[in-house]
Amino acid sequence: MSKPHDTPQQPEAGGQDSETIDFGFRTVGRAEKSGLVRDVFDSVASRYDVMNDLMSGGVHRLWKAAMIDWIAPQPGQTLVDLAGGTGDISLRFLRAGGGDAVVTDINESMLAAGRQRREFGKYSDRIRWCVGNAEALPFTEASADIVTIAFGLRNVTDRDAAIAEAHRVLKPGGRFLCLEFSQVTSAMLARAYDAWSFNVLPRLGQLVAGDADSYRYLVESIRTFPPPEVLADMFAGAGFAQVRVRRMSAGIACIHSGWKLD
Ligand code: SAM
């Protein structure tokens, strides 16, 4: 019998081959993953923002604020936010003085939930919402000053393709930042974090969003995401320079930043 705080068996982080890919702890066909991911976010879209606060005790706000601080938005700058969901990153970018923002997401339901947010009213002439896959962006080359992806890359099937697309749409001198869950650096904290993630979060998901499985997937997908040094290599491999990593909250979340020089 398993103890209440046991962590389910997890595969190696970042395990992908040409035919298959991780979907949480399951291995699925590559063609299958985006449909499964779409189902997850269709299911949670209307409760997504409230669940983010409940799951993280509001700490996701601090991580997002840290990414915006690192960007230091300027008037006239254009942001393309990949996997932008309900628009949190774009809203913060605009509030901090950035120029224009495009929220791009594969899920119309997430964008629809974002469009309903009253906070965007003030910025309606500087925000666009666009259905699009991060792996094949509907934007021209060298058209954005900043590209971001927050808690999105681990859901993407071909992560190298998404990073390459970020590079393609950036202007020379532009910057790509990825905020993502990562690997906890303290063994003691890791035990408490696992207990919270595997035992509490799916129950919370069931209670608030009526869906435990989607939140189980979210927890599992964090464990199978590549570690920070591997992601940094993926940035460099796509042509990004001056790649830097900032670990936050003992490694629970990480920001990667890279510049497109020319
Ligand atoms: N960035 C938002 C935030 O930080 O609140 C939303 C993050 S949410 C955890 C992940 C988002 O990634 C979902 O809205 C989902 O629809 C989107 N997504 C998953 N795969 C995608 C892809 N291939 N291209 C674009 N968006 C994708």
Side-chain angles (χ1 to χ4, degrees), residues 133-207:
N133 189 336
E135 297 167 31
L137 292 171
F139 306 122
T140 52
E141 204 170 312
S143 55
D145 298 296
I146 308 282
V147 175
T148 50
I149 185 164
F151 305 114
L153 195 57
R154 70 178 194 284
N155 299 297
V156 171
T157 305
D158 189 342
R159 294 169 190 140
D160 284 315
I163 297 169
E165 277 294 84
H167 194 270
R168 183 183 67 77
V169 302
L170 275 171
K171 297 174 188 170
R175 190 176 176 197
F176 177 45
L177 295 100
C178 170
L179 168 61
E180 191 50 273
F181 288 109
S182 194
Q183 295 181 345
V184 179
T185 49
S186 140
M188 213 165 79
L189 180 65
R191 275 197 295 278
Y193 180 61
D194 277 349
W196 170 257
S197 305
F198 286 103
N199 297 303
V200 180
L201 291 190
R203 289 192 181 115
L204 206 56
Q206 182 61 45
L207 207 66

Side-chain angles (χ1 to χ4, degrees), residues 173-255:
R175 190 176 176 197
F176 177 45
L177 295 100
C178 170
L179 168 61
E180 191 50 273
F181 288 109
S182 194
Q183 295 181 345
V184 179
T185 49
S186 140
M188 213 165 79
L189 180 65
R191 275 197 295 278
Y193 180 61
D194 277 349
W196 170 257
S197 305
F198 286 103
N199 297 303
V200 180
L201 291 190
R203 289 192 181 115
L204 206 56
Q206 182 61 45
L207 207 66
V208 177
D211 182 351
D213 285 346
S214 290
Y215 284 92
R216 203 166 287 119
Y217 157 73
L218 292 177
V219 168
E220 292 176 2
S221 65
I222 294 169
R223 272 59 179 191
T224 56
F225 190 67
E229 53 284 4
V230 174
L231 185 55
D233 285 348
M234 289 162 73
F235 268 50
F240 285 105
Q242 297 168 30
V243 177
R244 301 278 181 275
V245 182
R246 282 194 186 168
R247 290 174 173 80
M248 299 178 291
S249 308
I252 291 178
C254 240
I255 305 173

Side-chain angles (χ1 to χ4, degrees), residues 37 41 48 64 83-85 105-107 110 132-134 150-151 155-156:
V37 167
F41 289 101
Y48 177 79
K64 288 170 176 167
D105 199 283
I106 205 165
N107 264 47
M110 288 292 282
N133 189 336
F151 305 114
N155 299 297
V156 171

